[in-house]
Amino acid sequence: MGQAKLRGTTEQRKQAAVERQLSLRPKHIVCNNCQATLTEMQPMDISDIRGIDAAFAAHCPHCDHDTYAIKGEREAVANMHMAIEDATGAESQIGAVPSANGK
């Protein structure tokens, strides 16, 4: 019980988790549908998802398609990918997100 108090209040721990996720935000996501470069993206709430370090969603204004960037353990990313497909009712495509150094 005392360990949590050493890491800060609940609000401080939540804020630290949000900051960790935002530090992993890619510079852009490439639309899986039309390959447009998307720079506006929203962080997704991953607080209850084990194995996911960060997740972002971007909506393409060119083709009206949503694309997701998910970083984490391979199995957790695959599970989240399937959950997104189930939630949207559409088959999504797996795409690559450029790393911070452009590779």
Side-chain angles (χ1 to χ4, degrees):
M1 271 312 251
Q3 292 298 316
K5 286 185 179 182
L6 294 176
R7 294 189 315 259
T9 66
T10 301
E11 277 306 309
Q12 290 170 327
R13 292 192 313 271
K14 284 181 184 178
Q15 184 60 36
V18 168
E19 289 172 8
R20 272 192 305 278
Q21 179 176 359
L22 291 177
S23 73
L24 297 173
R25 182 184 187 275
K27 291 184 181 188
H28 66 275
I29 298 174
V30 177
C31 176
N32 283 338
N33 192 50
C34 73
Q35 276 57 62
T37 299
L38 308 173
T39 56
E40 292 187 34
M41 61 194 85
Q42 300 298 317
M44 297 172 68
D45 182 6
I46 57 162
S47 58
D48 294 331
I49 306 174
R50 280 200 168 143
I52 299 295
D53 300 323
F56 300 90
H59 182 77
C60 183
H62 306 289
C63 68
D64 201 36
H65 187 266
D66 293 329
T67 299
Y68 302 90
I70 306 167
K71 178 175 177 53
E73 297 171 10
R74 184 180 201 92
E75 187 175 339
V77 170
N79 289 337
M80 187 168 179
H81 176 76
M82 288 187 296
I84 290 170
E85 283 185 349
D86 289 344
T88 61
E91 185 176 331
S92 59
Q93 301 170 346
I94 297 176
V97 176
S99 65
N101 63 10
K103 294 183 180 179

